[in-house]
Each structure stands twice: as C-alpha cells, then as structure tokens.
Amino acid sequence: MTPRERRAVVDSLPDYIPWEESCMPEGDPHFEPKAEGRETLRTYFERSDRRLYVSAELPVYYPDEARFSPDLLAVRDVDVHPRKKWVVSDEGKGLDWVLEIVVSGNRRKDLEENVARYARLLIPEYFVFDRERRVLRGWVLADPKIGIYRPIVPQRGVFHSAVLGLDLKLDGDRLRFCQGSAMILMTPAEVILHLEQEVTDLVVIRENEVALRNEAEQRAHEAEQQLTREQQRAHE
C-alpha cells in the first residue's frame, strides 16, 4: 500500500462513535469529571517540559480490533495537536493511559471486559473512577511486552501513575490529580478563581495604601495649618 493509499484509508475511518456502539449518556455526573480531568491535565502538561497528548471520547483504532472511545486517554511523546481520531497504525503507537468513569452504567464492561481488553492491547496503565460508589481502581502491565495487568496498590488512598508522573486520589466524589503527596493540581476553573482572588487582594492592598497616604497627607496639612495659626498668634 502506498503512503497515499494508506492516508486515504485512515481518512475514511469514522471520527465518531455511532449511537448503537456508544454507552448510554449518564448526564453531568459522568461528563463533569471527564471534562475537568481533560482540561486539568492539558493545562498542566502545556506548562511542563513533557509532551503528553490528552483527549476525551476520541475514537481509537487498533489493528484487527473493534474501535472504542475511552472517557480519557493519554499518549506520551507524540505531537500535541487537535485530532478527530487515534489510528494506531498511522500514529505509530498505541495509547499509554486510559481512564473510564462509571456512574450508573455497565460496571462489568469497565471493571472486567476493559481490564482484559486494555491489557491485551498493551496499554501500560488503566484506571476506573466509580463516582457513584466513590471508588478508584488502577492497573498496570506486569511486563510491558506481556498483556497481563496487576492491580496498582494505593498508598493511603493515593494511586501513582508512572505514565503521567502524577498521583490520583479521590476528594469526596471528585477525582483529583496531584504532583507529589501534597500539591493538588488546580482545575482551570480553580485557576481562574485563584487569579480573581489575587487581583481582588491586590486591589484591596492598593486601596488601603491610597487611604493611608491620603490620611497621612491630611494629617500633614492639618499640622501645617496648626503651625501657621500658632505663628500668627505669636506675632500678635
């Protein structure tokens, strides 16, 4: 197959998942952590020296495999640019990290079927966030060349991802990404709120400085007037 013919085949692959192949929508409880996770990771890695492509619900094509669309996915050391689909034979590599979010859907698919499937596809790490039950689970390949997962053992409720170089943990019914044991990565919304608070604090500080300066100037003016009056009385 020529490069041109190969490109034509890749371009012909659908960049959407038909309704009959997709999971039933689970509303905001399913969408929110997915969107928040994607934007949090994208924002973090845009400012790092590591190239990591992050996407959500992207149609994925492995050779001789039925297409699928993970809730969140990440791939290391590739060009980071908008994509409509991930075709392994075209990109030259498969996925490195997958996260599925369960609310009230098919837990068997995510906790059993996908564990076997993603291990067979040699995806190095796989996580499942069961939001309804507030449970986080993770798996890692026992050997990068052998499709067998072993569970990731959390340390005090914290799961480490070697692919991301970050930790994952639950905060109530929210999934949080952490850098080290203490620093929780802020979501874009939290970053905006933080910046707004910093601006508010700077405005308050500036207003206080202006008020203190005006008060000092007023006192100096009053003292000068008092001195003038005393000098006038001394000459009378």
Side-chain angles (χ1 to χ4, degrees), residues 8 23 34 37 40 54 56 68 73 78 117 140 151 170 180 193 214 225:
C23 296
K34 178 167 44 183
T40 298
V54 180
F68 60 99
L73 64 87
V78 295
R117 181 184 199 182
V140 61
L170 297 185
L193 288 175
N214 291 340
Q225 288 183 324

Side-chain angles (χ1 to χ4, degrees), residues 34 38 42 52-59 70-75 83 86 97:
K34 178 167 44 183
R38 182 189 65 178
R42 281 184 173 179
L52 189 104
Y53 173 71
V54 180
S55 189
E57 293 187 339
L58 194 73
D71 287 329
L72 279 175
L73 64 87
V75 187
R83 290 172 168 87
W86 186 273
W97 182 89

Side-chain angles (χ1 to χ4, degrees), residues 220-235:
H221 178 68
E222 292 175 353
E224 184 179 354
Q225 288 183 324
Q226 179 64 25
L227 179 61
T228 300
R229 288 194 293 270
E230 291 177 355
Q231 290 175 342
Q232 289 175 347
R233 285 198 294 270
H235 288 299

Side-chain angles (χ1 to χ4, degrees), residues 52-88:
L52 189 104
Y53 173 71
V54 180
S55 189
E57 293 187 339
L58 194 73
V60 176
Y61 293 86
Y62 274 75
D64 303 319
E65 289 281 340
R67 63 188 166 197
F68 60 99
S69 181
D71 287 329
L72 279 175
L73 64 87
V75 187
R76 295 174 292 192
D77 303 322
V78 295
D79 290 336
V80 179
H81 60 80
R83 290 172 168 87
K84 293 183 178 181
K85 53 198 168 189
W86 186 273
V87 182
V88 173

Side-chain angles (χ1 to χ4, degrees), residues 3 6 23 27 48 67 76-77 99 103 107 155 184 203:
R6 181 182 296 275
C23 296
S48 77
R67 63 188 166 197
R76 295 174 292 192
D77 303 322
L99 170 75
V103 177
R107 286 183 171 82
Q155 302 296 320
I184 296 178
V203 170

